[in-house]
Amino acid sequence: MASNGIRDRVAIVGMGCTPFGEHWDRDPGDLLVEASQAAFASAGVTRDDVDAYWVGTLGSGESGLTLSQPLKIANKPVTRVENYCATGSESLRMACYAVASGAYDVAMATGVEKLKDSGFSGLTMSPRPSDGTATETTAPAGFSRIVPAYAAKYGVDPDELKDAITHIAWKNHRNGSLNPLAHFRREVSKDAIACSPLVAGALGIMDCSGVSDGAAAAIVVHAEDAERYTDRPIYVKGLALAAGSGTGAMDRSYDHTTFPEVVASAADAYQQAGLDDPRADLMLAEVHDCFTPTEMVLMEDLGFAERGHAWKEVLAGTFDLDGVLPVNPDGGLKSFGHPIGASGLRMLYECWLQLRGEAGERQISNGRTMALTQNLGGGPGHAVSFVSVVGSQPSA
Amino acid sequence: MTDARGIIGYGVHLPIHRLDRGDIGRALGRPVGHGSRTVASFDEDAVTMATTAGLRALSAIPGIAVDRLLFATTSPPLADRTNATDIHAALGLDESAAAFDLVGSVRSGVAAVRAALDADGTVVVTTGDVRTGRPQSADEAEGGDAAAALVIGSGEGVVAELLADATVTVPVRYRWRRPGESTASTWEERFGEHALVEPTVRAIAAALKQAQLELAGVDHLIVTGTHARAARRVASAVGADDALVDDLSASVGNAGTAHPWLLLGNVLDRAEPGAVVALVTVTEGADVQIWRATPALADGRAAPTVAAQLVRGRPVDYLTYLTWRGFLARQPPRRPDPVPPAPPPSLRHADWKFGFVAGRCSSCGERNVPPQEVCFACGAVGAMTDERLASERGTITTFSIDRLAYSLHPPVVTAVVDLDGGGRTDLEITDAVPEDIAVGDRVSFAFRIKHQADGVPNYFWKAIPEREAD
């Protein structure tokens, strides 16, 4: 493995997360202020205690000024990062490595996105000048390609596959109904999901993540300093990022039933964390359910299910809130919402709550002490993937 | 005989869509005629149709060196800039071959063929038209969209040689269209008939005399032109009822610059070697050409034939037709407007964008589609050799029906296609029924418009499921 990792060298000691949803009355800066203030309060620090900042956003700002202006941070290192839908995770990764390096003692990772101001349906990006030959596939269309490819490879009846992805949406809405910060806080029947208007391929509107505004933030310190801030810090066990070569559209060995970038980043993160059996050892996993088929194949890519079996495990309830390994207990992108730059940190926020026993009605109590976040951007064949493992206990 | 100049290859493209004239009448509450007309798809224009016809004309004579490309149309996608340039690139012609437009009048199509016959070397003549008219007009109902291409040259490959060529020019203004407008105006029908019939009959007599033939020696008589009534009167005036060829007005409509060559192609598809064909095109005067099929025709016929394309049509409803042609502006989805391609990257990648040229890694042999500076398989740098994909086939490995993406004709269907010669690419699917597409479907490729932005067509290649292709 190419990564040495920073297992247990840094800890998260404070977090904040805004409600996700339609914030018609808030600017991106307002959302960053709210998430940052909550994180400061959570760690018992002020703006002046933080040595360096990162802000992740796909399109709601450029440069470190995206954060320094609204927070009025004067003359400190503030950097904007972007890595598609893994942007929020990238912000965390930078802050953790900066502290682990010894360059700073206290760093803050933030992420924000304001999607509702564009007026468009779904996610859009401003086009760069090009030769106009790239296939313009919307995000749901790109991810919908998993369905026919998976059905063909494993000989699964398309109706059963539709049942499986419907179960994922149903589960995540059910979980989100227990989450006061989620964009969509009501259960949705499987019938309503399965019959929702088609957007792309087999995907209905109810197979797609919420288009939301929101922000989240985390305070990172040296592990040995952690208890000065909180009696229940969470320790960073592993952080892995894999940017694929983006050749799925030209490489025939790619079959659209897996994200090789996820497999690679998971292997790296598990090795860093010393995690041998993720299905048995994780208390929960927060994964990138941008569209329901994505969550299905992630179960295989992350080692939670055998190849070709995820759809059956999903239907069996393995990943339900009371299942063997709860996945997306906070509602996921599907129900919590998906403000791009904030999502990776929102996943961490759920791990923070669950590992500290603060998740309220949806609190998981399976006795385990580690949690996973997985966050990806791009699409099948051209993705970036991030995996983190965090835990409530430092290594012995 | 081998010195004679003539046709060494021909090809015709009829779009798959057909508009039933009865549908127009029902929609507008007033009958406009019988039969149907061909309709260019939302992603076709004169350039893409002419490219398809050109590829077909050249496919029978692979490897031939082309000296010049001519493109005639009344519906040029762009003015000032040469449209033939895009056809040139899509046909994969060498940069030393010239590309010229003959744009504006219907007679330009005849002009292009005559210019090719007068020239030296091998000349590809492409003609293509999207014919429209105001809703409820005769032009709308009687027009048709099509393209035809001839490869003109000399030598043993000539499948039809030119025996005679006579012309008459009359300063009549029967039909005209202001530049920039999409619909034409006409004067009273009987006036055109008065002005054109007698001069045309004289031109026919002159051509027969040149060819040292009697009318009875003509096996196939084609009379067409911009004035349907005059053309019919000419046919009855010369009285060659047995030889008179169907002008396809009931099944195609009149395809402007392409129409004479479409009809000639339809005759060459089935004519016996030695057959004599008289082609009369009535415009502002008339052009009369007398052709004779040679023994080489037996092996030089085009595929697919006009007859085969006539039977594969698929209905398009009138409102869809109006939408495609811009007469009915529908509410777009809540998505960003498409942006036109930027000229510098389009030029940098012209081999890919227009020529559909992939790269084969000379180090590991993997095909990279599109060509890459660094081979995706072995990492070799700068090791690509060109391979043209236009006539290749492929297989769909996965696909999506995108109901969110912007299109004049949603949903957008895109697919990952594995190519028979190796490699894979990601393309839009066209001319397909979305519900019929399946993993494993075989596809061929066509040069089409990806989208139109700021009035500029963005050309690229698309895949057509084989059951829809010819």
Side-chain angles (χ1 to χ4, degrees):
Chain A
M1 263 302 149
S3 316
N4 295 318
I6 56 164
R7 184 179 180 183
D8 292 330
R9 281 162 58 187
V10 304
I12 315 296
V13 295
M15 283 203 76
C17 184
T18 69
F20 285 7
E22 296 181 344
H23 289 294
W24 300 115
D25 55 349
R26 321 289 301 279
D27 288 333
D30 299 331
L31 295 167
L32 281 169
V33 168
E34 180 182 338
S36 300
Q37 291 301 327
F40 294 146
S42 160
V45 300
T46 70
R47 186 182 63 184
D48 300 332
D49 297 318
V50 180
D51 303 315
Y53 294 85
W54 278 262
V55 56
T57 186
L58 183 73
S60 299
E62 294 83 35
S63 90
L65 293 171
T66 301
L67 181 70
S68 67
Q69 267 184 337
L71 256 65
K72 309 299 180 291
I73 303 163
N75 305 319
K76 287 197 177 178
V78 185
T79 304
R80 178 235 175 166
V81 295
E82 184 279 318
N83 220 341
Y84 276 170
C85 295
T87 290
S89 293
E90 194 63 285
S91 175
L92 173 74
R93 184 167 157 270
M94 295 298 100
C96 290
Y97 285 166
V99 170
S101 77
Y104 306 108
D105 293 329
V106 183
M108 186 159 86
T110 68
V112 67
E113 212 71 53
K114 192 90 181 70
L115 293 180
K116 295 303 297 184
D117 283 357
S118 80
F120 295 128
S121 302
L123 181 61
T124 60
M125 289 172 71
S126 46
R128 284 187 305 277
S130 79
D131 66 8
T133 63
T135 302
E136 287 141 11
T137 308
T138 62
F143 285 92
S144 79
R145 289 173 169 184
I146 292 171
V147 177
Y150 190 99
K153 179 172 182 179
Y154 297 113
V156 186
D157 182 271
D159 290 340
E160 287 185 298
L161 217 46
K162 179 76 178 176
D163 288 347
I165 62 177
T166 297
H167 184 100
I168 288 169
W170 169 82
K171 165 186 72 88
N172 290 351
H173 271 283
R174 193 163 195 234
N175 293 348
S177 73
L178 305 175
N179 187 344
L181 298 183
H183 187 164
F184 303 104
R185 274 167 284 168
R186 62 182 181 91
E187 283 196 56
V188 182
S189 74
K190 287 190 175 182
D191 271 357
I193 293 164
C195 298
S196 64
L198 288 176
V199 173
L203 306 189
I205 186 79
M206 290 305 293
D207 289 291
C208 307
S209 54
V211 176
S212 321
D213 306 328
I219 309 276
V220 183
V221 303
H222 302 294
E224 59 267 32
D225 299 339
E227 295 202 345
R228 284 170 28 199
Y229 299 90
T230 173
D231 57 353
R232 284 170 295 165
I234 66 172
Y235 298 91
V236 174
K237 306 285 181 182
L239 299 168
L241 183 87
S245 56
T247 54
M250 66 177 74
D251 183 353
R252 301 170 76 140
S253 66
Y254 180 62
D255 69 7
H256 290 83
T257 66
T258 173
F259 296 92
E261 301 88 347
V262 176
V263 176
S265 53
D268 186 4
Y270 295 167
Q271 190 268 339
Q272 292 176 34
L275 184 66
D276 298 323
D277 186 352
R279 179 175 162 129
D281 293 343
L282 290 170
M283 178 188 197
L284 72 141
E286 283 289 321
V287 309
H288 197 83
D289 59 322
C290 52
F291 301 95
T292 50
T294 318
E295 180 169 322
M296 182 183 71
V297 301
L298 287 175
M299 298 302 96
E300 298 176 11
D301 288 339
L302 291 167
F304 302 164
E306 297 285 322
R307 288 277 169 214
H309 290 256
W311 67 279
K312 279 186 271 188
E313 298 261 26
V314 163
L315 285 172
T318 304
F319 310 112
D320 291 359
L321 191 56
D322 57 357
V324 175
L325 170 57
V327 170
N328 290 330
D330 65 353
L333 302 165
K334 179 76 202 75
S335 150
F336 205 137
H338 186 22
I340 311 299
S343 282
L345 287 162
R346 180 274 300 163
M347 295 173 173
L348 184 72
Y349 185 69
E350 179 68 4
C351 299
W352 163 263
L353 295 178
Q354 292 281 1
L355 290 168
R356 288 160 57 92
E358 295 174 345
E361 277 188 275
R362 61 185 193 284
Q363 181 65 47
I364 299 159
S365 48
N366 56 17
R368 304 172 191 166
T369 64
M370 284 196 283
L372 172 142
T373 73
Q374 184 280 329
N375 190 201
L376 74 79
H382 57 106
V384 295
S385 169
F386 170 88
V387 174
S388 82
V389 179
V390 296
S392 56
Q393 307 298 318
S395 304
Chain B
M1 200 69 64
T2 54
D3 293 338
R5 242 173 125 61
I7 296 165
I8 59 174
Y10 70 97
V12 168
H13 170 65
L14 297 182
I16 196 167
H17 301 284
R18 302 286 185 275
L19 176 59
D20 188 322
R21 292 179 181 122
D23 272 1
I24 306 176
R26 281 186 286 280
L28 299 178
R30 183 175 149 179
V32 297
H34 302 287
S36 63
R37 59 159 292 170
T38 54
V39 171
S41 187
F42 74 100
D43 62 354
E44 293 185 285
D45 66 9
V47 162
T48 66
M49 293 195 297
T51 298
T52 299
L55 285 167
R56 288 173 180 168
L58 285 166
S59 68
I61 35 178
I64 193 162
V66 172
D67 299 296
R68 186 174 298 180
L69 169 73
L70 301 175
F71 172 49
T73 184
T74 64
S75 52
L78 299 173
D80 275 22
R81 182 216 184 245
T82 306
N83 295 279
T85 309
D86 295 336
I87 302 172
H88 178 284
L91 295 178
L93 301 185
D94 191 82
E95 66 173 9
S96 64
F100 299 124
D101 284 355
L102 291 86
V103 159
S105 67
V106 172
R107 206 177 191 183
S108 305
V110 180
V113 173
R114 290 201 53 166
L117 288 162
D118 291 345
D120 295 324
T122 301
V123 183
V124 177
V125 179
T126 56
T127 59
D129 259 323
V130 178
R131 304 290 294 171
T132 58
R134 290 184 189 90
Q136 196 172 288
S137 67
D139 278 3
E140 178 191 59
E142 293 168 15
D145 304 333
L150 301 179
V151 185
I152 302 293
S154 45
E156 289 174 359
V158 168
V159 301
E161 57 181 333
L162 186 70
L163 299 183
D165 185 352
T167 194
V168 56
T169 295
V170 179
V172 59
R173 198 176 80 209
Y174 162 70
R175 154 184 297 280
W176 65 95
R177 178 164 56 93
R178 289 209 303 260
E181 289 194 346
S182 62
T183 59
S185 304
T186 54
W187 201 259
E188 188 199 346
E189 229 185 349
R190 290 175 58 81
F191 164 64
E193 186 182 339
H194 154 77
L196 292 165
V197 173
E198 284 186 16
T200 303
V201 171
R202 287 198 295 277
I204 292 170
L208 288 170
K209 186 176 175 189
Q210 222 184 89
Q212 297 178 309
L213 282 171
E214 298 294 323
L215 192 61
V218 173
D219 300 296
H220 306 277
L221 172 64
I222 302 167
V223 188
T224 180
T226 53
H227 191 298
R229 190 184 172 107
R232 280 195 301 273
R233 281 279 295 119
V234 167
S236 58
V238 299
D241 294 344
D242 292 347
L244 189 65
V245 165
D246 177 8
D247 68 358
L248 303 182
S249 55
S251 53
V252 174
N254 189 310
T257 55
H259 209 68
W261 319 109
L262 159 66
L263 296 179
L264 181 61
N266 189 31
V267 168
L268 293 178
D269 282 344
R270 53 198 159 83
E272 299 293 329
V276 173
V277 187
L279 171 58
V280 181
T281 310
V282 183
T283 53
E284 290 68 55
D287 297 279
V288 182
Q289 299 177 336
I290 300 181
W291 299 85
R292 181 162 57 205
T294 74
L297 178 61
D299 296 323
R301 297 191 210 267
T305 62
V306 173
Q309 296 183 66
L310 283 172
V311 298
R312 71 182 185 128
R314 183 191 302 155
V316 61
D317 65 84
Y318 185 54
L319 292 181
T320 300
Y321 164 80
L322 290 177
T323 305
W324 288 355
R325 292 293 92 85
F327 289 111
L328 183 62
R330 293 202 206 182
Q331 179 68 37
R334 287 200 174 279
R335 297 289 292 175
D337 289 334
V339 294
S346 299
L347 179 60
R348 280 201 294 281
H349 305 144
D351 283 354
W352 164 243
K353 180 178 177 61
F354 297 98
F356 208 29
V357 170
R360 175 85 63 180
C361 177
S362 56
S363 180
C364 73
E366 266 299 337
R367 197 190 242 172
N368 286 236
V369 192
Q372 302 291 305
E373 193 57 27
V374 177
C375 172
F376 82 84
C378 75
V381 181
M384 297 290 146
T385 56
D386 291 351
E387 288 188 5
R388 204 167 134 77
L389 305 176
S391 57
E392 209 164 296
R393 309 257 153 169
T395 303
I396 291 177
T397 180
T398 188
F399 66 98
S400 59
I401 297 171
D402 194 339
R403 298 173 198 278
L404 182 60
Y406 172 81
S407 170
L408 251 191
H409 192 58
V412 175
V413 184
T414 62
V416 178
V417 174
D418 286 353
L419 294 147
D420 288 0
R424 161 183 287 187
T425 192
D426 192 332
L427 291 173
E428 200 170 318
I429 302 283
T430 193
D431 283 3
V433 178
E435 292 70 29
D436 292 348
I437 296 169
V439 170
D441 278 359
R442 301 280 295 152
V443 297
S444 57
F445 305 106
F447 188 64
R448 293 294 177 95
I449 301 169
K450 266 196 73 189
H451 60 252
Q452 197 97 22
D454 296 346
V456 177
N458 176 28
Y459 296 117
F460 188 53
W461 293 76
K462 294 185 180 180
I464 301 180
E466 209 142 75
R467 75 175 75 85
E468 323 291 350
D470 310 295

